[in-house]
């Protein structure tokens, strides 16, 4: 059986629209954008007039330089002396007057440890009682400085200084009073109170202090 040739089939491909140039017009050419302008060079300023400098002053050769003179040494301050207060009392009443003076001192605000009492005759009862326990215990209370300390003329040289010293001239030889009062004056820091015969006390203080 003879074969009949088939007619070839033509498949058309899809074609998009074609761009048609505008009639008689060409696309505008873009202009270049100008860049930043270079900064203008600074203008030279006008220099002001030059002011003349004042001439340096030179010290004349003939002028002598004054040298400071050494100052005189300061005078040393006078040593402070305690105030002396005299309480007239008899030999028998000197110890009572001393105890009253101590009470007034404590009432006025003095601390007990600031007061030292010295007797020229019989020792104070407190001192006699404390000495019965031995010298070590007696002087330990003195070193503690917590209370009024009572001593007699024979031991007064061992006592340390205190702001107030009270002396009861309650007997003993005149030589004891003459030795004790200058010693008490040296132990007193601010106040020395002496209870006894004013005539005897003034004669001793005037000669020995």
């Amino acid at each position: 059986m003879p074969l009949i040739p088939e007619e070839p089939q033509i498949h058309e491909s899809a074609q998009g629209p074609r761009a048609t140039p505008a009639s008689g017009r060409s696309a505008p050419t873009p202009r270049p954008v100008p860049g930043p302008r270079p900064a203008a060079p600074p203008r030279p300023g006008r220099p002001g007039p030059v002011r003349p400098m004042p001439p340096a002053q030179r010290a004349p050769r003939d002028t002598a330089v004054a040298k400071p003179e050494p100052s005189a040494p300061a005078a040393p301050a006078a040593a402070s002396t305690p105030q002396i207060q005299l309480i007239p009392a008899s030999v028998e009443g000197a110890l009572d007057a001393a105890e009253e003076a101590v009470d007034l001192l404590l009432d006025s605000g003095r601390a007990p440890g600031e007061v030292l009492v010295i007797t020229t005759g019989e020792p104070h009862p407190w001192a006699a009682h404390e000495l019965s326990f031995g010298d070590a215990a007696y002087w330990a209370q003195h070193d503690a400085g917590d209370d009024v300390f009572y001593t007699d003329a024979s031991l007064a040289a061992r006592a340390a200084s205190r702001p107030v010293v009270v002396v009861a001239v309650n007997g003993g030889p005149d030589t004891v009073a003459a030795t004790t009062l200058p010693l008490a004056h040296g132990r007193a820091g601010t106040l020395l109170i002496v209870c006894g015969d004013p005539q005897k006390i003034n004669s001793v203080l005037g000669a020995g202090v």
Side-chain angles (χ1 to χ4, degrees):
M1 180 174 181
L3 297 175
I4 300 173
E6 296 180 0
E7 295 181 359
Q9 297 180 0
I10 300 173
H11 299 279
E12 295 182 359
S13 61
Q15 297 180 358
R18 297 181 180 179
T20 304
S23 60
R25 293 185 180 180
S26 60
T29 304
R31 297 181 180 180
V33 179
R37 297 181 180 180
R43 297 181 180 180
R46 296 181 180 180
V50 179
R51 297 182 180 180
M53 296 294 293
Q57 297 181 358
R58 298 182 180 179
R61 297 181 180 179
D62 298 339
T63 304
V65 179
K67 296 182 179 180
E69 297 181 358
S71 58
S80 59
T81 56
Q83 179 184 358
I84 301 176
Q85 182 178 351
L86 175 60
I87 300 178
S90 62
V91 174
E92 294 78 10
L95 187 56
D96 293 337
E99 289 184 343
E100 292 179 2
V102 171
D103 292 339
L104 291 175
L105 290 170
L106 300 180
D107 293 341
S108 65
R110 283 284 182 182
E114 296 181 351
V115 182
L116 171 66
V117 180
I118 304 174
T119 58
T120 61
E122 292 293 328
H124 190 276
W126 180 91
H129 175 73
E130 295 299 327
L131 282 170
S132 64
F133 297 101
D135 289 349
Y138 173 72
W139 288 107
Q141 297 189 48
H142 166 271
D143 297 338
D146 298 331
D147 204 349
V148 180
F149 189 77
Y150 297 86
T151 188
D152 58 29
S154 62
L155 302 174
R158 185 174 174 180
S161 300
R162 291 199 177 187
V164 182
V165 177
V166 181
V167 179
V169 185
N170 60 337
D174 293 344
T175 55
V176 174
T179 304
T180 303
L181 290 179
L183 175 65
H185 185 269
R187 294 292 190 273
T190 58
L191 179 61
L192 171 62
I193 301 176
V194 184
C195 306
D197 182 8
Q199 184 176 358
K200 178 186 294 186
I201 294 171
N202 286 329
S203 62
V204 172
L205 290 177
V209 178

